[in-house]
Structures are given as structure tokens and as C-alpha cells.
């Protein structure tokens, strides 16, 4: 009934666990009659965040299309949380649309890799941080913070698959610490990489060594020239497209 539905909506505290179930429940609740805009806003925020955590970007974009008439006008007050989260994630969806398809990964030019690193990843972390700061502890703030962690974990796993070593400055960009380092609530990068990812750090060279690296003195992957840079980001793109197996 309606009371049980409302109780479930406002009891949601995380999209990192039972994520597929959350998506299914939200899709079911969308069809409920006489749904208030406030309830719908919460349902859509939860569903969008859950789909992104699962790396189901096509389904996430389809979700926005279903409500395009309500989110097309950026001044709309009908679905404010959903609109803010959608806008924060648009760089991620743009990268997916430009470079990924069901059948292949399109090659990246050097200019596109620069755009990807400095705008499309850094902007995602920064925009989500804005959602956290302006959310006032509501569901948008909670899920935006979780998506930062989810995207960071995705990036860290990609780095572990692609890199032998990576310079600390480049690592900050990919993990979102270059834009979030002033936020005292953000997890310290060293603590994250040492304790959770079990990486090691060479202070003399400023290089992080991901776990399972061969440690054979190889150059940094992105330091081997444009071809290796493109190849590595293409591998990342392939990784980004894979559905999450742990949600």
C-alpha cells in the first residue's frame, strides 16, 4: 500500500548493496498511481544512482528520457534532486555515448584523452561534490557521496588492470582527489590506496604501484607516448563498460 511504499522510499540508506533489487523496486513504484512529485523525485534519484553504480549507463539515460518533459527545463522544481544528479553525471554519459557502443570501443585521439581526464572525470567528482554540499543530508547528498566512492573504486580497479605504475598527480585526477582534497570529509588518498587497495608508494619518484603490478621497473604506462596513452584509456573504456558484478 501507499504507506508501505513511502516507508520503503524514505528508509533507503544506500545504493551500494542489493542494487539490482533497488532498481527493480523503483521501476515497480514508478507505476504506482497518484504518486507525488516528492516521492517520484526520491524514487528516480535512487534508481539513477543505482544504475550508475551497476555501470548500466544506457538504462540510466533511458530513465531520463522517460521524464524528459520534466527535466528539460533546468528551472523545473518538479524533480529537483533527480535533475541535479542527472546534470552531475552528464559528463560520464557523454563519454559513454562518444566512445562506447555495444560492439566496439572507438579509438581515442590525444585531444580526447586530455578532455576525458581533465574534464569528464574531474567534472564528475566535482559535480557530485556540489550535490553533497547542497543536499543538506538528504537522499541526493547520501547517494552522490556513494557514487563518488563507486566511481573511485571503478577507476582504481581500472588502474590496477592497466598500469604498472602511475604518477601521484595523474592518480589524483583519476581518483577524484585533485578536486576533493580540500573537503575534510573525503577519504584520504593515501589511506584509501594503502589500506583498502594495498598499493605501495615510491616517494623518491612520486609513483604509486598498484597491487599485482609486476614491479619490474617498467616506465609509467602513460609515459611511453601517445600510442600507449590511447591504448591504456581504450582498455579503461572497455573496463568501464563491463557490468558491475559485486552490487
Amino acid at each position: 500500500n501507499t504507506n508501505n511504499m513511502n516507508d520503503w522510499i524514505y528508509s533507503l540508506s544506500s545504493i551500494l548493496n542489493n542494487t539490482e533489487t533497488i532498481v527493480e523496486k523503483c521501476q515497480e513504484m514508478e507505476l504506482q498511481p497518484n504518486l507525488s512529485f516528492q516521492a517520484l523525485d526520491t524514487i528516480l534519484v535512487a534508481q539513477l544512482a543505482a544504475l550508475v553504480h551497476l555501470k548500466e549507463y544506457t538504462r540510466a539515460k533511458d530513465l531520463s528520457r522517460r521524464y524528459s518533459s520534466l527535466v528539460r527545463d533546468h528551472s523545473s522544481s518538479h524533480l529537483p534532486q533527480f535533475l541535479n544528479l542527472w546534470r552531475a553525471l552528464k559528463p560520464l554519459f557523454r563519454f559513454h555515448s562518444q566512445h562506447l557502443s555495444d560492439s566496439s570501443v572507438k579509438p581515442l585521439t590525444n585531444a580526447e584523452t586530455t578532455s576525458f581526464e581533465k574534464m569528464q572525470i574531474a567534472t564528475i567528482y566535482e559535480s557530485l561534490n556540489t550535490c553533497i554540499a547542497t543536499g543538506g543530508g538528504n537522499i541526493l547528498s547520501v547517494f552522490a557521496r556513494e557514487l563518488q566512492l563507486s566511481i573511485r573504486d571503478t577507476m582504481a580497479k581500472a588502474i590496477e588492470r592497466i598500469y604498472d605504475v602511475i604518477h601521484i598527480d595523474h592518480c589524483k585526477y583519476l581518483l577524484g582527489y585533485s578536486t576533493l582534497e580540500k573537503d575534510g570529509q573525503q577519504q584520504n588518498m593515501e589511506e584509501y590506496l594503502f589500506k583498502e587497495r594495498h598499493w605501495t608508494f615510491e616517494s623518491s619518484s612520486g609513483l604509486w604501484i598498484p597491487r599485482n603490478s609486476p614491479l619490474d621497473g617498467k616506465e609509467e604506462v602513460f609515459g611511453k607516448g601517445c600510442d600507449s596513452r590511447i591504448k591504456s584509456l581504450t582498455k579503461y573504456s572497455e573496463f568501464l563498460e563491463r557490468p558491475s558484478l559485486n552490487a
Side-chain angles (χ1 to χ4, degrees):
N1 58 40
T2 301
N3 288 335
N4 290 337
M5 180 182 68
N6 289 334
D7 289 344
W8 185 86
I9 293 172
Y10 296 110
S11 69
L12 276 176
S13 59
S14 174
I15 47 87
L16 300 182
N17 301 305
N18 303 314
T19 315
E20 284 282 9
T21 301
I22 290 174
V23 172
E24 292 172 3
K25 185 71 172 178
C26 287
Q27 290 174 336
E28 175 187 333
M29 293 170 65
E30 278 184 77
L31 304 177
Q32 296 292 327
N34 303 318
L35 198 63
S36 69
F37 277 123
Q38 182 180 4
L40 180 61
D41 195 23
T42 301
I43 290 168
L44 296 181
V45 168
Q47 189 175 173
L48 179 60
L51 287 170
V52 171
H53 177 55
L54 292 170
K55 293 185 280 190
E56 294 281 0
Y57 306 120
T58 299
R59 291 171 66 189
K61 288 184 285 187
D62 288 342
L63 177 64
S64 178
R65 291 189 188 101
R66 294 206 298 272
Y67 295 92
S68 59
S69 62
L70 293 176
V71 300
R72 189 178 295 117
D73 180 3
H74 285 193
S75 65
S76 171
S77 60
H78 292 308
L79 304 171
Q81 296 185 99
F82 179 63
L83 174 60
N84 286 336
L85 184 58
W86 169 253
R87 292 170 67 183
L89 293 169
K90 282 181 72 174
L92 179 63
F93 299 141
R94 188 178 301 115
F95 178 76
H96 176 269
S97 298
Q98 290 172 348
H99 301 297
L100 302 178
S101 68
D102 293 336
S103 59
S104 64
V105 178
K106 301 175 184 177
L108 302 173
T109 67
N110 189 48
E112 286 169 337
T113 59
T114 301
S115 174
F116 166 62
E117 294 164 30
K118 292 188 176 180
M119 183 192 73
Q120 293 182 308
I121 282 295
T123 301
I124 294 168
Y125 289 113
E126 201 169 73
S127 297
L128 289 172
N129 206 41
T130 300
C131 289
I132 294 169
T134 60
N138 62 18
I139 197 168
L140 173 63
S141 177
V142 172
F143 292 166
R145 187 177 297 280
E146 290 194 328
L147 283 178
Q148 282 185 342
L149 300 178
S150 174
I151 292 170
R152 178 171 295 140
D153 281 347
T154 295
M155 294 299 301
K157 291 173 185 177
I159 290 170
E160 288 165 0
R161 294 176 64 91
I162 295 167
Y163 287 79
D164 295 328
V165 295
I166 180 171
H167 192 273
I168 184 172
D169 291 337
H170 192 63
C171 191
K172 281 183 178 181
Y173 264 110
L174 295 181
L175 298 182
Y177 286 102
S178 63
T179 59
L180 304 177
E181 57 189 2
K182 294 182 181 179
D183 184 353
Q185 298 183 23
Q186 292 301 318
Q187 189 174 26
N188 177 273
M189 185 171 81
E190 290 188 2
E191 181 179 352
Y192 173 68
L193 294 179
F194 280 133
K195 294 185 178 181
E196 294 192 30
R197 309 293 326 168
H198 306 294
W199 293 14
T200 55
F201 184 66
E202 290 288 346
S203 57
S204 60
S205 59
L207 296 177
W208 281 100
I209 304 171
R211 59 181 173 184
N212 302 323
S213 170
L215 301 179
D216 57 3
K218 293 181 180 178
E219 297 176 78
E220 181 185 2
V221 171
F222 277 11
K224 296 178 183 178
C226 181
D227 290 343
S228 293
R229 186 183 184 87
I230 294 170
K231 181 179 179 181
S232 295
L233 278 176
T234 301
K235 289 181 179 178
Y236 166 73
S237 302
E238 293 170 339
F239 181 86
L240 186 68
E241 180 75 345
R242 295 174 186 169
S244 175
L245 299 178
N246 298 321

